[in-house]
Amino acid sequence: MNYYRCENPDCGFLAEEEPDVCPQCGGTFFLSVDEEELTGPDWVQLGNRAVDEERPTDALACYQQAAALDDMLGVTNLGWCLEAGIGVPADPRQAVVLYAQAAARDYMPALTNLGYCYAHGIGVARDDSKAVECFRKGAENGFPRAQFLLGEAYSRGLGVEQSWEEAVRWYRAAAEQGLPRAQCNLAWCYEYGKGVPQDLGESYRLYRKAAEQGDARGLFCVARCFDYGRGVTQNSTEAVAWYQKAADAGSAAAMCDLGVCYERGEGVERDLSRAVSLYRQAAEAGNAAGQCNLGFLYESGEGVEQSWEEAVRWYRAAAEQGMPRAQCNLAWCYEYGKGVEQNWKRAVHWYRQAADQEDPRGMFCMGICCKYGRGVEQNWEEAVHWYRRAVDAGSAAAMCNLGVCYERGEGVERDAAEAARLYRQAAEREDAAAQCNLGYLYETGEGVEQNWQEAVRWYQAAAEQGYPRAQCNLGVCWEFGHGVAKDPAKAADLYRQAAEGGDRVAACNLGYLYETGVGVAQSWADAVKWYRQAVEESEPRAQYNLAWCYEHGKGVPRDLRQARELYQAAAKQGYAGAQEAADRMEKDGSRRRGGGFLRGFLDGLRGQ
């Protein structure tokens, strides 16, 4: 069989069929070459092209020819075919034999591959020390991949004592030879100050060098530099352009982050359908963040038809890869039976998976589970343990809940001052519940010096975040002039906001303002409306007030039986005066039932 070599001596392109133009140099003249005249490097060139064109059997045959001619690159590439199963069933042990043969001839690529096999237990028992021995020899002989892998060994402490300084030394050696992976790793060291002083400008420069070679990770990291303003001026439009280049180069992480840009409208016009498409590409490529983000869009029904089942599917995929946010989201689905059958034990399993990775939300939710005995045995001390860990990880919600434990003496000795300190920590991080709780301590003077103005300040902060309990408490301040000038109309407005947010005390308070005509136009119908809403949430004062309305026919037709039942319901909750009212109605009812044969007979027919 004849082959055709480009006549240009500086080119050397070899083809199985004569082309019109050389794809490498553009030449138009070719020399016919007999198969017997082909050298080892010629067969390697043909094998490499077969790999690029996805012709594995041809690639294997070409590398075998090169190896037969004692070409060390041919031997090494043949080993790679056996290691990876290219054109032949994988045989890692035989691959190691071939790598060792070429390594014995001081062929550094083969030596490096042999070290990689030792590092990962491919075809041989894992041996980090032997791996480092191979990498070091290759590195000292100037082979960039060996230098990079020796840097990796130092960064992880595998086969050597961990040393960021040594890692940087070898990453730099490989980076200066233009190896993109080494450039990216060295850039990361500069970005986070590992083994070198932190230098975001130098980090960006190195990422850019890798990116200019078309390296997907380099392209992605340049995009992130622009996205977050690290080493360059923040520029969302530039970030999108680089994310797109990285995505086109196959970076699943870039597909995900580009999806975020489209979801939020950062650097591009907001386009949820495009976000879904990008998240799906990333998710199907195994990117955990893309899977989690796609799950969230299915949960919220943004850009796709809402589906809890699909949300769970993608949360689970990311959770199984160890992503804490996905683990917490999946746990929440099990907690509330969304897309899966409700199962507290499974919820706890996934919260614990996240918590064991020091995830603040996972640890906080473990505290909640232990506090209420959900999926685990109720245990105040365990709840406090998890809250403390979450607090150490910066969870404002955990600061608030741990404050509650100290305020009430649950799992710890009661300490109102410590509660106030924790509430303040969380409040300053804009946790609405903590702001409200801190306001309450200032109202009551527990753990802090009593101060209505401070109470109002913190109630206001939480109310502005739409926190119903704070809106209600602030309404009380306006109704009675505590820390502010008395303004019942303002109180009514705040009660309404809180009641519409589901606060039962606020609904009852608003009902009372309508009953008395304070701050609003008097209206028994509206009073009953708001009392009834509060009663649905078992608010005892509302039960008592609505009972009074039924007893006297105010805003509702008079109904003594309903009144008595509501008084009794309030009495069961210990509401002052409710038991006396229920007893009074019972006595009044007994007198009415004793009013003659006909009345008693008719009452009996009604089941009284």
Side-chain angles (χ1 to χ4, degrees), residues 324 328 350-352 354-356 359-367 386 390:
C328 286
W350 287 112
Y351 282 139
R352 190 181 295 275
D356 287 344
D359 179 71
R361 182 182 166 201
M363 292 186 288
F364 169 71
C365 291
M366 280 302 301
W386 285 111

Side-chain angles (χ1 to χ4, degrees), residues 238-511:
E238 274 292 299
V240 166
W242 286 98
Y243 280 140
Q244 186 64 64
K245 291 176 184 178
D248 292 343
S251 169
M255 295 169 196
C256 177
D257 280 17
L258 185 57
V260 172
C261 293
Y262 276 101
E263 183 182 353
R264 298 176 180 173
E266 296 175 348
V268 287
E269 187 175 345
R270 190 167 189 254
D271 185 338
L272 289 171
S273 296
R274 177 74 174 137
V276 168
S277 174
L278 286 159
Y279 288 152
R280 193 179 302 280
Q281 289 177 53
E284 290 174 349
N287 180 268
Q291 292 167 338
C292 187
N293 289 1
L294 182 58
F296 182 77
L297 291 188
Y298 272 111
E299 174 182 331
S300 61
E302 292 189 278
V304 288
E305 185 177 348
Q306 200 282 334
S307 169
W308 281 109
E309 290 71 22
E310 280 296 294
V312 165
R313 172 194 170 197
W314 291 111
Y315 287 153
R316 190 185 305 281
E320 289 173 351
Q321 291 196 66
M323 186 180 187
R325 178 162 60 94
Q327 290 168 336
C328 286
N329 288 6
L330 181 59
W332 188 92
C333 292
Y334 274 110
E335 183 177 348
Y336 292 97
K338 299 292 187 180
V340 288
E341 187 176 343
Q342 198 277 339
N343 187 320
W344 273 111
K345 288 190 176 179
R346 294 304 297 165
V348 167
H349 167 79
W350 287 112
Y351 282 139
R352 190 181 295 275
Q353 291 285 312
D356 287 344
Q357 298 182 67
E358 302 298 313
D359 179 71
R361 182 182 166 201
M363 292 186 288
F364 169 71
C365 291
M366 280 302 301
I368 293 283
C369 292
C370 291
K371 175 179 179 177
Y372 294 105
R374 296 172 177 171
V376 292
E377 187 176 342
Q378 198 280 333
N379 187 315
W380 284 112
E381 288 73 20
E382 271 295 295
V384 167
H385 163 77
W386 285 111
Y387 286 150
R388 281 194 202 285
R389 287 182 60 183
V391 166
D392 291 342
S395 168
M399 294 169 195
C400 179
N401 280 24
L402 185 57
V404 172
C405 292
Y406 274 103
E407 183 182 354
R408 299 176 180 174
E410 295 170 339
V412 289
E413 188 175 342
R414 189 172 187 273
D415 186 337
E418 178 64 5
R421 187 188 72 80
L422 286 159
Y423 288 152
R424 190 180 305 281
Q425 262 189 289
E428 289 171 351
R429 287 167 173 78
E430 299 188 348
D431 184 84
Q435 290 170 336
C436 184
N437 291 0
L438 182 57
Y440 184 75
L441 291 189
Y442 273 111
E443 176 181 330
T444 59
E446 290 191 87
V448 291
E449 187 177 342
Q450 200 283 332
N451 187 317
W452 278 111
Q453 286 74 25
E454 280 295 294
V456 167
R457 172 194 169 197
W458 290 110
Y459 286 152
Q460 181 71 43
E464 287 173 357
Q465 293 195 64
Y467 194 64
R469 182 160 57 90
Q471 291 167 333
C472 178
N473 289 7
L474 185 58
V476 173
C477 293
W478 283 102
E479 182 180 355
F480 296 100
H482 295 314
V484 288
K486 188 175 181 179
D487 188 339
K490 180 71 173 173
D493 182 55
L494 284 160
Y495 289 151
R496 188 182 308 279
Q497 292 177 49
E500 288 172 350
D503 189 273
R504 63 182 191 173
V505 174
C508 182
N509 289 359
L510 183 57

